[in-house]
Amino acid sequence: GMRRGGKNYYAFDITDPENPDLMWTIEKSGDFAELGYTFSNPRVGLVRTPSGPRPAVMFAGGYDMNKDLRGSVGTDDAEGNAIYVVDAETGQLIWKARGPYSGSSGNVFEHSGLLDSIPSTLSVADTDGDGFTDRLVVGDTGGNIWRADIQGSDVSNWELTLLASVGRHDSGGLTNDRRFFHRPDLVPSKDGNGLFDAVVIGSGNRADPLDKGGTAENFTYMIKDRHTAPGSGVNAGLEHDDFGDVTSNCLQSGSCTIDLSDGWRLGLQEPGEKVLATPLTITGKVFFTSYLPHSGTGATACSPSEGAGRLYAVSLQDATAVINYDTS
């Protein structure tokens, strides 16, 4: 991709590293008319198609600079609100999901709620272990988390569903205008109610790191998607308040009980604190970093303040601390 440099994707054959060949180019036109600025790093997988198994690259629609506007809640985007599955060898479209344009048909699925651009990289998974990618998960710049089921060879049955909405579509105001720019972590897990796929994702407006347009209240979320079977996704309708608020860490002290049946939300409490990277879950521990724009040593004539950062390590199940990095 090209990030802010343009709206194309390029594929190269580098079998001979000293003589690379351009395989194909995708431009903003035709099947890819919804492309925005191509920030989404392509992911690779094998998918079933009507013509048999095919290697595929999968990426989101990209960024709409409409979301650069500051000082007001974000609005619907004109581009970037799409997800693509493309033949890795030819660059031909296999399937796409997009916003409400002119209706679903064949290998095009439309969702009325897909109104915000998606610069994030997709999280891709083979949930049943058969060697074929069957699920995609990603967040958008409107605070929505999407799930695409791409199971089976009949692409007309592939569909996109809304797992949760925790941004501007859920609640109004700048403080609730949460945006997702980075790939979520997808973690198979279980609790007392059964199996679930944990979707771990943190909010933060990467296009406005210093909050010149106002400060949103950012969170890291662990969302329990209990529709774990391939092809079983539904529009879940989960919202910000459905996730247990673990910010006070009262669970660690044993002074409270919190309903975690849908997952949890952990508030980032420093002014302007935001997540600008992908979380990583290892053996039940979630590691993620945050950026603090208003912390640091302060600016001097030759040294601007670069802010500061934090590293968190919390339990996947309830967000209690599992490693204490505060050496003071």
Side-chain angles (χ1 to χ4, degrees):
M2 302 180 69
R3 299 182 69 83
R4 283 186 185 261
K7 304 174 183 179
N8 295 356
Y9 279 103
Y10 302 93
F12 294 89
D13 181 347
I14 57 168
T15 305
D16 180 353
E18 295 187 4
N19 295 284
D21 290 325
L22 177 65
M23 294 174 62
W24 46 259
T25 302
I26 288 175
E27 300 176 338
K28 180 182 172 63
S29 62
D31 287 336
F32 302 95
E34 306 84 8
L35 269 182
Y37 287 88
T38 48
F39 281 76
S40 181
N41 290 337
R43 305 300 299 276
V44 181
L46 197 65
V47 299
R48 300 183 191 273
T49 73
S51 59
R54 295 296 300 164
V57 290
M58 294 153 276
F59 50 88
Y63 186 62
D64 186 335
M65 287 191 184
N66 171 56
K67 283 296 198 305
D68 279 354
L69 297 175
R70 296 174 175 175
S72 61
V73 176
T75 57
D76 296 352
D77 293 326
E79 60 183 13
N81 53 331
I83 294 172
Y84 300 98
V85 180
V86 172
D87 189 298
E89 294 181 339
T90 67
Q92 298 298 306
L93 179 70
I94 296 174
W95 177 84
K96 70 177 175 181
R98 66 183 183 187
Y101 289 96
S102 56
S104 301
S105 62
N107 63 344
V108 178
F109 183 88
E110 292 194 355
H111 195 293
S112 61
L114 187 55
L115 303 172
D116 300 272
S117 56
I118 312 177
S120 171
T121 300
L122 303 174
S123 182
V124 306
D126 169 16
T127 61
D128 58 5
D130 66 353
F132 292 91
T133 299
D134 52 41
R135 180 157 288 183
L136 314 174
V137 180
V138 71
D140 69 22
T141 54
N144 301 307
I145 298 98
W146 297 95
R147 172 215 300 116
D149 280 304
I150 58 171
Q151 188 261 346
S153 60
D154 186 352
V155 297
S156 65
N157 291 329
W158 296 6
E159 64 177 3
L160 181 75
T161 49
L162 181 61
L163 178 58
S165 182
V166 298
R168 69 181 183 96
H169 301 281
D170 176 25
S171 302
L174 283 170
T175 58
N176 297 312
D177 190 12
R178 303 177 190 93
R179 307 181 185 188
F180 298 114
F181 280 78
H182 294 275
R183 178 175 60 86
D185 199 15
L186 184 62
V187 189
S189 189
K190 64 180 180 179
D191 60 10
N193 294 322
L195 298 174
F196 65 88
D197 287 332
V199 178
V200 186
I201 190 169
S203 67
N205 187 358
R206 188 184 181 94
D208 187 14
L210 301 182
D211 301 310
K212 298 299 184 180
T215 304
E217 293 178 351
N218 289 304
F219 286 77
T220 293
Y221 297 88
M222 190 278 279
I223 301 167
K224 295 181 178 181
D225 181 4
R226 299 194 183 273
H227 297 273
T228 58
S232 66
V234 298
N235 292 301
L238 296 172
E239 298 178 343
H240 177 79
D241 290 339
D242 291 322
F243 308 111
D245 189 350
V246 297
T247 308
S248 70
N249 202 29
C250 60
L251 288 175
Q252 193 118 28
S253 62
S255 61
C256 68
T257 58
I258 299 175
D259 182 4
L260 301 177
S261 56
D262 291 320
W264 48 258
R265 67 182 195 267
L266 173 60
L268 307 180
Q269 295 186 286
E270 289 296 316
E273 187 176 6
K274 53 182 63 69
V275 172
L276 299 179
T278 295
L280 176 65
T281 306
I282 307 173
T283 62
K285 303 178 183 69
V286 178
F287 297 86
F288 68 94
T289 57
S290 68
Y291 173 61
L292 286 64
H294 307 299
S295 299
T297 57
T300 66
C302 299
S303 176
S305 173
E306 297 175 350
R310 282 180 171 172
L311 170 62
Y312 292 80
V314 301
S315 166
L316 175 70
Q317 292 290 342
D318 59 11
T320 53
V322 292
I323 299 175
N324 181 15
Y325 291 110
D326 185 358
T327 56
S328 63

